[in-house]
Amino acid sequence: MSVRVGFVGAGWWAVANHVPAVAADPRASLAGVCRLGARELEAVRARFGFPFATESFEELLDRCPMDALVVTTPHRMHAAQALAAIGRGLHVMVEKPLATDPAEARAVEAAARARGVHVLIPHGWNFKPFVATAKAWVEAGRIGRVTHVSGRMASPIGDLLSGEAMGGTESEMFRPDPAMWADPATGGFGWGQLIHLLGLLFHVAPLRAQSVFALTGAGPTGADLTDAVAVRFQGGATGSLSGVATMPPGSPYQVALDLVGTEGALSLSMAPAALSLVRHDGERDALPLAPDAGAYECLAPVARFVALCAGERVENAAPAACGARAVEVVAAMLASARSGRLEAVA
């Protein structure tokens, strides 16, 4: 029996990536779709052959037989819709961020654990094979206890986060909504991009933030385009995180993490792809990687979600716990930027 997958919020990235990926997976079937706009909804239904389509999320839950739900609505709606689906016993894939409020993110984590269902956030880089190796090295104690983290992310999407149409999406069925991405409350670089770096960090390293101090640079709408973040983690480790949205058009997405521990240090980057380790005892290790091996994983998270829903014994590389830790940092970062003070994780 195939995994019956429903969708809520069938906009740009859902119809460009998630829906086709589920449709092509022999373990899954398209169950139903929900989005606003009768004309747009009909276009999605007709293109992909959904047997059920509605503008009402409640109707989707009540009338459409499903095993799993993919949530790709505006950021502020993610947690409530994920909780509603979990309450029906559905597995849920929630586009990042898991929530825009830490308490809501933790509620999703707790509800999924209580109901015994899977929640996956498609942080694409988490699903790279060499990232699994990095995590295994950390878990094996090869760098000892993590004492410091340095991370950076740079993206060429300043247009979208500034309230303009996103370059390169002209031929898509739908384009990203600038109003959502440039909203200073729930958009900007923190919620839209830095959340990926944080999801990667909390997948690789067993850390959780305790307090944050941040400076941000705002675009024309007030949404953050640049982020400079200092973090104190529980247990005493420190961290420095950097983010910028305004790389020139066509620039590769840059993601890098350096973890320093009591026994050594690990370096991980995506453009160019690299993973290396050096220890105080002189031991060195590095994976041979093609320069483009760090390209963002679009399909792997969807395939992993379907596999989890089908009962396969595979790792969830971006579960709700990982998403919640990332949400805690971004929320504290934005609070600190507003207050000018060190902010405790709420």
Side-chain angles (χ1 to χ4, degrees):
M1 179 179 175
S2 66
V3 177
R4 300 167 298 179
V5 183
F7 290 80
V8 59
W12 164 56
W13 191 236
V15 300
N17 187 81
H18 298 340
V19 176
V22 170
D25 195 313
R27 300 166 297 183
S29 60
L30 300 177
V33 61
C34 173
R35 66 153 292 150
L36 298 179
R39 181 178 301 175
E40 293 82 358
L41 177 65
E42 173 55 24
V44 173
R45 187 206 62 76
R47 173 175 289 195
F48 297 103
F50 278 100
F52 184 89
T54 177
E55 292 187 75
S56 166
F57 179 55
E58 291 73 20
E59 185 176 32
L60 180 72
L61 291 180
D62 289 341
R63 295 185 52 200
C64 181
M66 295 181 291
D67 304 300
L69 180 71
V70 176
V71 178
T72 60
T73 48
H75 299 161
R76 68 182 185 280
M77 304 171 71
H78 289 179
Q81 291 175 332
L83 285 168
I86 292 168
R88 304 292 183 99
L90 303 179
H91 304 293
V92 186
M93 187 175 90
V94 191
E95 257 302 343
K96 51 81 187 161
L98 175 61
T100 54
D101 177 86
E104 290 184 347
R106 291 189 291 265
V108 173
E109 178 187 357
R113 184 170 55 249
R115 288 301 299 261
V117 299
H118 296 289
V119 171
L120 181 147
I121 303 99
H123 291 297
W125 285 293
N126 289 30
F127 295 83
K128 307 298 293 187
F130 69 93
V131 170
T133 299
K135 182 183 181 186
W137 287 357
V138 173
E139 289 179 340
R142 297 189 69 186
I143 65 169
R145 177 178 56 83
V146 177
T147 58
H148 183 73
V149 172
S150 176
R152 64 181 176 85
M153 182 171 184
S155 309
I157 64 166
D159 50 3
L160 181 62
L161 301 186
S162 297
E164 303 171 12
M166 182 179 178
T169 62
E170 295 82 0
S171 63
E172 300 288 354
M173 184 176 184
F174 304 116
R175 302 185 73 179
D177 180 8
M180 181 190 82
W181 288 87
D183 183 341
T186 58
F189 193 83
W191 291 124
Q193 295 285 278
L194 194 68
I195 200 87
H196 272 303
L197 176 66
L198 291 163
L200 176 65
L201 168 62
F202 293 119
H203 174 55
V204 172
L207 296 170
R208 185 171 185 178
Q210 176 177 299
S211 57
V212 174
F213 179 80
L215 301 173
T216 62
T221 70
D224 58 303
L225 298 184
T226 61
D227 302 320
V229 189
V231 184
R232 172 73 71 182
F233 296 97
Q234 293 179 8
T238 56
S240 175
L241 306 174
S242 169
V244 58
T246 52
M247 294 296 289
S251 299
Y253 285 70
Q254 299 176 22
V255 174
L257 277 176
D258 292 294
L259 306 179
V260 180
T262 54
E263 303 296 329
L266 177 150
S267 293
L268 171 69
S269 69
M270 300 299 163
L275 173 61
S276 63
L277 178 147
V278 59
R279 287 171 45 86
H280 290 295
D281 61 11
E283 179 188 0
R284 294 174 179 272
D285 205 346
L287 286 190
L289 296 169
D292 62 353
Y296 188 73
E297 283 286 354
C298 300
L299 302 178
V302 182
R304 191 71 58 86
F305 178 62
V306 172
L308 289 164
C309 295
E312 298 178 22
R313 293 183 175 274
V314 294
E315 181 191 20
N316 182 347
C322 176
R325 305 302 168 265
V327 168
E328 289 175 341
V329 174
V330 175
M333 176 193 86
L334 295 174
S336 175
R338 291 190 298 268
S339 70
R341 298 189 300 268
L342 181 74
E343 293 285 346
V345 168

